[in-house]
Amino acid sequence: MSGMIERLPGWTTLPDLFGWVEAGLPGAHTVPGLHGIRIEEHLADGTYVLRAELPGIDPAKDVEITVTEGVLSLRAERGEETTEKHRTEFRSGTFARSVRLPAGAKGDEATAGYKEGVLTITVPVPETKTGTKTIPVRLG
């Protein structure tokens, strides 16, 4: 299995072919130290679910999730130190990702949970009834 997230039936994934989008276009202006977040999204049964790979973080301190005008933004800071016999390695950085929520999503009712390096954000999306309305024409 590649990556941390187990692929489930019905989940859409961003193909590795488009990994360059997360890293930035070659030659394009990017913010130093800002990295993309690998995600999976799913919409079913009136619920939008976004799962994000964020290993090595403390979700209580290092994650910020906001919803503004139908856009869900996720930002995480990671500072990790690994010490082995003859070397120490630091892995740190800022990770960010924004996605447009489906029409009608109730961002103010979103919930989030973190387990085994995967952050899961759930947003209710009530089904809207579409129908035909007849508009009467008044004379005069």
Side-chain angles (χ1 to χ4, degrees):
M1 172 172 52
S2 69
M4 288 187 57
I5 297 178
E6 178 182 334
R7 307 296 182 222
L8 299 174
W11 285 79
T12 51
T13 61
L14 298 175
D16 290 335
L17 175 64
F18 296 106
W20 58 268
V21 172
E22 295 173 356
L25 295 170
H29 177 70
T30 58
V31 178
L34 187 64
H35 309 284
I37 300 171
R38 297 180 63 82
I39 63 168
E40 290 184 338
E41 302 171 270
H42 181 65
L43 176 63
D45 300 324
T47 303
Y48 168 81
V49 178
L50 180 138
R51 294 182 351 140
E53 288 184 348
L54 289 171
I57 63 159
D58 180 348
K61 296 188 308 186
D62 302 333
V63 175
E64 178 182 302
I65 304 166
T66 58
V67 177
T68 305
E69 297 180 6
V71 175
L72 181 128
S73 297
L74 173 58
R75 186 175 180 91
E77 299 277 340
R78 177 173 62 193
E80 182 179 358
E81 179 180 337
T82 304
T83 304
E84 295 178 5
K85 187 174 182 181
H86 295 289
R87 70 182 195 135
T88 300
E89 182 177 330
F90 292 98
R91 292 177 52 200
S92 62
T94 301
F95 299 84
R97 190 72 185 259
S98 293
V99 295
R100 177 152 304 277
L101 293 172
K106 296 190 171 204
D108 56 340
E109 296 179 19
T111 58
Y114 184 81
K115 182 178 180 183
E116 297 177 1
V118 178
L119 178 72
T120 302
I121 302 169
T122 305
V123 183
V125 183
E127 291 185 26
T128 56
K129 294 183 180 182
T130 57
T132 304
K133 179 179 179 178
T134 303
I135 301 170
V137 177
R138 295 184 299 182
L139 296 175

